[in-house]
Amino acid sequence: MALSAWLLALSPVRAATEIEELSVFDFGTIAITGNGSVSVLEFPRSGRNLNAIGDIVVVAVGQPGRYRLTGFPPNTNIDVDIDDITLSAGGTGIPELLSVGNYDTGSVRTNELGEVEFQLGASFTTSGNGGSYEDAPYSGNAQLRFHYWEPSLSDYVTVSENVTFAGEVRSSFELTEADRLNFGVLYAVGTPDDQASLRLFPDGRRDVTNAGNARIVSLTQPTPGVVAVSGAAPFRQLDITVSATDVLLRHTQAPAGPHFILNAMATLPDQSGRTDEFGALEIRVGGTLSTQITAAEVVYPAGTYEGTYTITVSY
């Protein structure tokens, strides 16, 4: 009896293609200090050496998008295609919008298992139309399309995946009065012809000047005001301005009585200061306190005298 055998050759079966979003593209936290012209944040796929052009300040660095492809043909180049998109506050589509484009994936090629991981870079652009950006989380979605040669079909194939872009706009930061500007306990006399003054330097030094019968006697050590900045961009120069107009300090119980005049205010650092690695800065405030020109010579009544000054800190 004759015997025969058949050998059936089976082709290996490849798993279905999968696209996994390992990390959402997060541009981090930025301050937008103006929108009169277009500003750009260039975010490389490496996630390092971001470049802010125009009125964008990087407060906190985010991370590039990272993706993993599996089930693709081995040792195959993958072309990645992405449409330009816009991001909006809360993802609701309400202006002002951040435009996303100029994507960078580098070379994407699968290994012998048909797998590859890659990172995505992009540029984020303001509208430049003068509108204001809200302090809010911003988000949006884009479709990544992957084009590659499929040997089993002898043709090119395209697969796609929707991915997320996110980040935060925070153009404001926190100012806290850590210590009040306090001229201490004084004895003061006002006169019709002269003024006495106490100059308190931001570093704590004091200088008293008396004229005629006008008097200020400093009975306790005055202390500069301390304003703490927090939540700003790290290693960033901030502009500092303080009240240029006279501030009147009136008796809290008898405001109609004689008052003090605060002017020539100064800060340390002066006019501008640089934040530390945490985005914090301490500002000390001083000024010159003078007696009032009064209708007759008068001793200032005992009690508390208060007034309010304004300090502005900005990028």
Side-chain angles (χ1 to χ4, degrees), residues 187-197 209-217 291-294 296-300:
Y187 170 79
V189 178
T191 70
D193 301 313
D194 299 298
Q195 289 177 284
S197 63
T209 301
N210 292 316
N213 290 328
R215 288 287 182 271
I216 285 182
V217 179
T291 57
Q292 177 189 1
I293 295 291
T294 55
E297 185 171 315
V298 59
V299 175
Y300 277 68

Side-chain angles (χ1 to χ4, degrees), residues 17-30:
T17 58
E18 290 189 8
I19 304 162
E20 183 181 2
E21 189 175 34
L22 299 177
S23 61
V24 169
F25 199 138
D26 183 347
F27 65 74
T29 303
I30 61 174

Side-chain angles (χ1 to χ4, degrees), residues 125-142:
T125 307
T126 63
S127 64
N129 64 8
S132 298
Y133 283 85
E134 291 185 45
D135 277 10
Y138 276 65
S139 62
N141 296 298

Side-chain angles (χ1 to χ4, degrees), residues 53-96:
I53 304 169
D55 295 323
I56 288 179
V57 177
V58 177
V59 178
V61 177
Q63 62 183 10
R66 189 163 65 93
Y67 314 95
R68 186 170 187 262
L69 310 183
T70 58
F72 285 71
N75 304 313
T76 298
N77 291 325
I78 310 294
D79 294 327
V80 185
D81 179 33
I82 316 169
D83 291 331
D84 291 350
I85 63 166
T86 56
L87 310 183
S88 59
T92 58
I94 299 175
E96 287 299 312

